[in-house]
Amino acid sequence: RQRQMCIRDRKPEMVLDATHPYAAEVTVNIRTACENTQTAYYRVLREAGEHEDRAVYVDSVQAAADYLDQTQGSVLLTTGSKELAGFTGMKDYQNRLYARVLSLPNVMKACAELGFEGKHLIGMQGPFSRELNAAMLRQYDCRYLVTKDTGKAGGFQDKIDAALECDAVPVIIGRPLKEEGMSVSCLLYTSPSPRDRSVSR
């Protein structure tokens, strides 16, 4: 409702939704607000990274945890602190998993309460280069790297390249919505018409 009021107050000719690929609920809310106010809506998608045949694709955090539970070796988790609870059901997770999260006091505290402590809790602020990702994989002798498909803008390809360089298996959690939309590069060379009131482009 707040987004709908904002659109009515500002009366934009169109709305460009460039929210994070995993902010599914936010995207639904923005699209609904545009429909209710008869405002043109355009979904701007991040360009997906180049995937490799060696990667393992799963639909959810739980599926990633289930897969890893059948493997051996250390795992570098790069999915963020909000997803860590989904991995705590794994056998020996406190010894196998290395979680890289934002170095905020409240985040670190929440992760510690889940059992991620000491060298298994890495507090850092991105973005992370391929070289840094590779160095971390080697430091902890990780055989797996878990990531979301956040696209090139989210450092996805640097993670995949680092994993392959270190002979680690990328475990990729797919995007929650099968979306259609415009890439940033397409948007730069395309001028959507404000008269076009279709809600999804």
Side-chain angles (χ1 to χ4, degrees):
R1 179 170 296 189
Q2 186 176 9
R3 292 183 177 86
Q4 189 168 311
M5 291 176 59
C6 179
I7 292 174
R8 283 194 171 127
D9 289 342
R10 301 192 179 185
K11 298 180 175 60
E13 292 183 344
M14 67 185 73
V15 171
L16 303 179
D17 175 11
T19 53
H20 193 281
Y22 285 83
E25 185 176 348
V26 176
T27 287
V28 170
N29 290 340
I30 294 173
R31 185 182 291 117
T32 300
C34 289
E35 289 175 349
N36 292 340
T37 58
Q38 294 298 301
T39 304
Y41 170 90
Y42 296 91
R43 180 64 171 128
V44 183
L45 301 177
R46 297 185 184 191
E47 294 181 13
E50 296 177 14
H51 301 175
E52 297 286 341
D53 292 340
R54 285 180 47 202
V56 172
Y57 299 88
V58 294
D59 292 331
S60 64
V61 170
Q62 186 58 57
D66 290 342
Y67 166 76
L68 291 168
D69 220 9
Q70 307 303 314
T71 67
Q72 294 182 343
S74 298
V75 182
L76 179 61
L77 298 177
T78 67
T79 54
S81 60
K82 293 181 180 179
E83 313 293 354
L84 291 188
F87 293 96
T88 57
M90 290 175 55
K91 299 185 295 286
D92 200 28
Y93 80 93
Q94 290 168 302
N95 292 317
R96 285 191 64 195
L97 306 183
Y98 292 83
R100 189 171 72 192
V101 300
L102 289 175
S103 57
L104 301 173
N106 61 320
V107 171
M108 302 297 281
K109 179 181 178 182
C111 293
E113 290 174 351
L114 291 173
F116 293 89
E117 297 182 291
K119 66 180 181 180
H120 292 271
L121 181 58
I122 308 162
M124 298 181 71
Q125 172 70 55
F128 303 99
S129 66
R130 176 187 59 78
E131 292 81 4
L132 183 53
N133 283 314
M136 297 183 74
L137 288 166
R138 293 191 178 103
Q139 174 69 27
Y140 301 110
D141 192 25
C142 292
R143 309 320 311 151
Y144 299 87
L145 180 146
V146 182
T147 180
K148 296 176 181 177
D149 186 354
T150 54
K152 294 180 181 178
F156 175 78
Q157 196 61 46
D158 285 325
K159 296 179 192 177
I160 300 302
D161 290 344
L164 297 176
E165 176 185 324
C166 297
D167 200 28
V169 177
V171 179
I172 303 170
I173 302 174
R175 298 184 182 185
L177 291 179
K178 302 300 182 183
E179 298 182 285
E180 294 182 0
M182 306 171 70
S183 67
V184 175
S185 57
C186 178
L187 183 66
L188 292 175
Y189 295 103
T190 305
S191 178
S193 170
R195 295 188 181 87
D196 184 352
R197 297 298 175 182
S198 61
V199 297
S200 179
R201 287 294 298 271

